[in-house]
Amino acid sequence: MNAKSEAPPPAVSVIMPVLNEERHLREAVHAILRQEYAGEMEVVVALGPSTDRTDEIAAELVREDPRVHTVPNPTGRTPAALNAAIKASRHPIVVRVDGHAALSPGYITTAVRLLEETGAMNVGGIMHAEGQNDWEHAVAAAMTSKIGVGNAAFHTGGAAQQAETVYLGVFRREALEQQGGYNEEFIRAQDWELNFRIREAGGLIWFSPELKVSYRPRPSVKALAKQYKDYGRWRHVVARYHEGSINLRYLAPPTAVCAIAAGIVVGAVLTPWGFVIPGGYLAAIVAGSVPAGKGLPLKARLQIPVALATMHMSWGWGFLTSPRSLAKKVIASRRPAVLGETQEA
């Protein structure tokens, strides 16, 4: 008898930070509970100080299924929530999920298999943006197009390969505990920073298009602008934290902001030729929105250029205005990668 073939899959802890997620929390948790994973599973929801019905919905989910638990996160910050959930969880595989995301069928089974096949410390896949109304459909199209996000594999797909970071992630607990969890100074980009330390310690981060998570876009222009301003702000922190991590894809939005601003000033003060730059940008995003919006309703297609401009300009502005003081604070909190016994040997 082959004992190895009969061994049950490793038990899994799914951790979820939430704050004001009444729209999507129930759907996100149900997508986890429907996974049909053959091993034991628990779901730990870290509750921030929400002002909507998030806590009430979470309490209902706990009553409905004994696999669901909650833990408080009084700071409301994502990395603190993740660390609290990791501490409250108990299984050797840790799956990170957000409150506005839904795992695709078979996600956990596939991720555990990939961990075993690759020997990776963390595996992740595609952030598959899906909208529920015309605006969200437009944002989803922008977030999954190369004109919107460049060649980022976890947005647009690609071959399975070693990666710097992945969307969300399915970790071996040993990697999280070895590195001391997430750095709570990273209000954004905490995934990148943790994966950086795992890689520094010799661990493999693996991207696979087999893994897909449905993501719900922000519901308004204002919310999308804030999201992407924060992304740009914290990407500049990362660039200062780790020299050499920047590339042309990250420099494109701030370059576009500067060029458009300069073009408007030149056009208004010196010569109308200055307006060629903002006009050219507008023409580019309108043209790029045509293939991105294929198959969508007309109202959604018409809003794709607005979504693209909001993403580009907000990201670029956040990058340009990111204060050095923030980077210095984060750098001062730098955690050196912790090597395991095998690496030290």
Side-chain angles (χ1 to χ4, degrees):
M1 183 179 294
N2 189 340
K4 184 177 180 180
S5 65
E6 295 182 358
V12 166
S13 296
V14 183
I15 59 171
M16 178 184 291
V18 298
L19 179 68
N20 294 325
E21 291 288 0
E22 67 174 4
R23 286 186 65 199
H24 304 301
L25 178 57
R26 182 173 290 278
E27 176 192 6
V29 172
H30 282 177
I32 298 166
L33 299 176
R34 291 194 300 264
Q35 282 291 298
E36 297 184 352
Y37 181 63
E40 186 179 352
M41 183 173 67
E42 66 175 351
V43 182
V44 182
V45 181
L47 297 172
S50 297
T51 56
D52 60 8
R53 295 183 59 251
T54 295
D55 287 8
E56 181 182 337
I57 294 168
E60 292 172 357
L61 291 166
V62 170
R63 289 193 296 270
E64 293 166 6
D65 196 303
R67 293 173 292 177
V68 182
H69 314 280
T70 61
V71 62
N73 171 36
T75 70
R77 294 180 171 184
T78 299
L82 292 166
N83 283 342
I86 292 167
K87 185 176 179 180
S89 65
R90 54 196 173 89
H91 295 321
I93 304 297
V94 178
V95 180
R96 180 189 166 176
V97 184
D98 283 343
H100 46 271
L103 301 183
S104 58
Y107 179 93
I108 293 177
T109 299
T110 302
V112 171
R113 173 177 59 80
L114 289 170
L115 285 173
E116 178 65 25
E117 290 177 353
T118 64
M121 289 296 173
N122 181 20
V123 299
I126 295 174
M127 176 183 178
H128 183 65
E130 292 182 322
Q132 295 179 314
N133 55 43
D134 288 327
W135 166 250
E136 291 179 2
H137 285 314
V139 177
M143 292 180 70
T144 53
S145 67
K146 289 190 176 182
I147 191 172
V149 295
N151 61 351
F154 70 85
H155 279 297
T156 59
Q161 59 188 296
Q162 184 175 339
E164 283 191 354
T165 191
V166 290
Y167 177 55
L168 300 178
V170 178
F171 299 84
R172 298 180 190 267
R173 177 178 291 276
E174 63 198 75
L176 295 172
E177 293 183 343
Q178 181 178 302
Q179 300 305 325
Y182 291 84
N183 184 335
E184 295 185 14
E185 292 296 335
F186 273 82
I187 308 306
R188 295 286 185 272
Q190 64 276 154
D191 300 284
W192 182 93
E193 193 277 337
L194 173 59
N195 285 315
F196 172 68
R197 281 185 281 131
I198 292 174
R199 288 187 290 108
E200 269 198 324
L204 174 67
I205 310 299
W206 189 257
F207 165 82
S208 174
E210 290 185 74
L211 300 172
K212 187 170 75 171
V213 181
S214 294
Y215 169 85
R216 302 306 184 198
R218 295 298 192 270
S220 66
V221 173
K222 181 179 179 181
L224 183 68
K226 182 181 185 305
Q227 178 188 18
Y228 271 78
K229 180 184 175 183
D230 286 346
Y231 282 171
R233 176 185 177 98
W234 282 92
R235 183 63 231 190
H236 205 162
V237 171
V238 166
R240 287 166 171 159
Y241 178 91
H242 177 48
E243 292 183 7
S245 68
I246 204 70
N247 60 39
L248 292 178
R249 178 165 65 90
Y250 296 125
L251 293 176
T255 300
V257 170
C258 292
I260 290 169
I264 291 173
V265 170
V266 170
V269 176
L270 298 177
T271 170
W273 284 104
F275 292 118
V276 168
I277 297 175
Y281 171 77
L282 179 61
I285 61 173
V286 169
S289 71
V290 174
K294 187 176 181 180
L296 293 180
L298 177 61
K299 191 172 180 181
R301 296 201 304 270
L302 292 175
Q303 294 182 79
I304 294 175
V306 178
L308 288 169
T310 301
M311 290 161 56
H312 294 161
M313 297 299 103
S314 299
W315 203 104
W317 180 249
F319 188 94
L320 291 168
T321 59
S322 181
R324 286 189 175 273
S325 59
L326 179 59
K328 288 179 180 178
K329 180 181 178 182
V330 168
I331 291 169
S333 73
R334 185 192 297 267
R335 298 180 184 179
V338 179
L339 300 180
E341 293 180 4
T342 55
Q343 287 96 342
E344 290 175 343

